[in-house]
Amino acid sequence: MFSFIHSLKARHLFPLLLVANLFAISYQFKTPDGERLCKNWFFRLATPAAGSLAGLAAGVHDLFGSFTTIRQLQRENDNLRRELDKVRFEQGLRADQLARAVQLEGLLKVLAEYAEEGVVAEVTARSFQVWDRSMTIRGGTLDGFTPDLPVLDADGVVGRIQQCSPAYSEVALLTNSGVAMSGTIPQKDIRGIIHGTGGPLLKMDYVHIAAPVKKGDWVVSSGDDGIFPAGFPVGMVVKIGRQGQYFQDILLRPAVDIRQRRYVFVLKKTAGVTP
């Protein structure tokens, strides 16, 4: 301490002594309120700084409080999102179950007259390869299935069984290029042979050029092929052209959209066999 004072020069020491003297003198005086003048000055000088520090501390506290609130909101948002996903999944599951029930009800209602000769089978797989449009159903030789049995739906003809295993069967769809059946436009008594094209449409052949076929006409199974029972919708006429000199080129949109089907009806007899 003495070395520090000794190192100070006169021009430095004089102001320090002056400030110390003023401080000592002011300490002896009091304000009208009874406070010592020195304490009052110190309070006035320190108050703004203390206020700034307090404001800074409050700001830091609010900032960290905001971060905490954001984290809480994020956690709550994540929880709500998980709950919403769960609700959506349950709704989708219920909608799927309802769709299955509605389809089964419609299938059984329309095909009630064939209930003794038919079996409802679940679709397990679909193949839409070009020239080989088929699907796999649950049920095979153990259920009495054999090749060429007709496969139907509440909306119409699906196809026929192509091959069987003990528990599963492969069904060739009407759109398969290897499938053919007989059909008719009953209101006009127009008959022809329907076969798959390997694409999404069916083709109706051997219809005379003079036959009054119109777009929108419905073609149904005639029963003449000995496999499919008569009267089931096959498809609707969507395009008419000319094929050669004597026949029309007729394209049909299938009555059954198998992509939307979960179940089909396998008739355990053909149209050519009496029960």
Side-chain angles (χ1 to χ4, degrees):
M1 179 67 179
F2 291 103
S3 61
F4 172 73
I5 296 176
H6 181 72
S7 63
L8 292 177
K9 297 181 179 180
R11 65 177 181 271
H12 296 149
L13 186 60
F14 179 75
L16 290 176
L17 293 174
L18 180 61
V19 170
N21 187 42
L22 291 174
F23 178 81
I25 295 173
S26 63
Y27 188 79
Q28 304 300 322
F29 292 92
K30 295 182 179 181
T31 64
D33 298 330
E35 293 288 340
R36 294 191 180 278
L37 185 62
C38 180
K39 181 180 179 180
N40 186 266
W41 284 357
F42 180 78
F43 178 77
R44 292 177 181 273
L45 292 174
T47 298
S52 300
L53 290 175
L56 179 61
V60 171
H61 180 270
D62 292 340
L63 180 61
F64 281 101
S66 299
F67 287 154
T68 302
T69 303
I70 291 173
R71 286 196 296 270
Q72 291 175 348
L73 290 175
Q74 288 176 341
R75 286 194 294 268
E76 292 176 0
N77 189 39
D78 292 339
N79 292 334
L80 289 175
R81 188 180 293 108
R82 285 192 291 269
E83 290 294 329
L84 182 59
D85 290 340
K86 181 179 178 181
V87 170
R88 286 175 176 171
F89 174 78
E90 292 175 349
Q91 288 179 341
L93 184 61
R94 285 195 293 269
D96 181 70
Q97 292 172 343
L98 179 61
R100 287 172 180 261
V102 169
Q103 185 181 345
L104 276 174
E105 182 180 1
L107 190 64
L108 294 175
K109 182 178 180 181
V110 173
L111 303 175
E113 59 180 301
Y114 298 98
E116 295 182 0
E117 299 93 20
V119 175
V120 174
E122 182 183 7
V123 178
T124 60
R126 298 176 176 85
S127 173
F128 294 108
Q129 298 177 2
V130 177
W131 310 113
D132 184 23
R133 293 176 175 253
S134 62
M135 68 180 183
T136 303
I137 59 175
R138 195 182 304 278
T141 55
L142 294 177
D143 302 285
F145 292 178
T146 60
D148 286 335
L149 288 181
V151 180
L152 309 170
D153 180 82
D155 293 334
V157 178
V158 174
R160 62 177 174 82
I161 291 182
Q162 190 168 18
Q163 58 183 342
C164 302
S165 70
Y168 295 91
S169 298
E170 183 182 18
V171 178
L173 305 179
L174 279 184
T175 51
N176 191 305
S177 58
V179 176
M181 65 175 295
S182 62
T184 179
I185 302 177
Q187 296 85 354
K188 302 177 181 180
D189 195 23
I190 299 172
R191 294 175 182 268
I193 301 299
I194 301 164
H195 63 81
T197 62
L201 299 178
L202 305 171
K203 190 174 182 181
M204 187 174 185
D205 287 332
Y206 306 113
V207 177
H208 194 270
I209 195 68
V213 181
K214 303 292 183 183
K215 288 183 180 180
D217 286 345
W218 274 96
V219 178
V220 301
S221 56
S222 66
D224 298 334
D225 48 46
I227 296 178
F228 297 95
F232 279 88
V234 176
M236 186 179 68
V237 177
V238 294
K239 185 178 180 180
I240 305 171
R242 188 185 183 98
Q243 184 178 12
Q245 186 176 358
Y246 301 105
F247 300 108
Q248 299 184 54
D249 185 14
I250 302 173
L251 294 179
L252 313 176
R253 183 173 68 239
V256 179
D257 184 0
I258 196 60
R259 295 172 301 178
Q260 308 298 326
R261 296 299 184 266
R262 301 289 183 88
Y263 300 95
V264 293
F265 192 89
V266 179
L267 195 58
K268 295 170 65 174
K269 71 180 186 65
T270 62
V273 178
T274 56

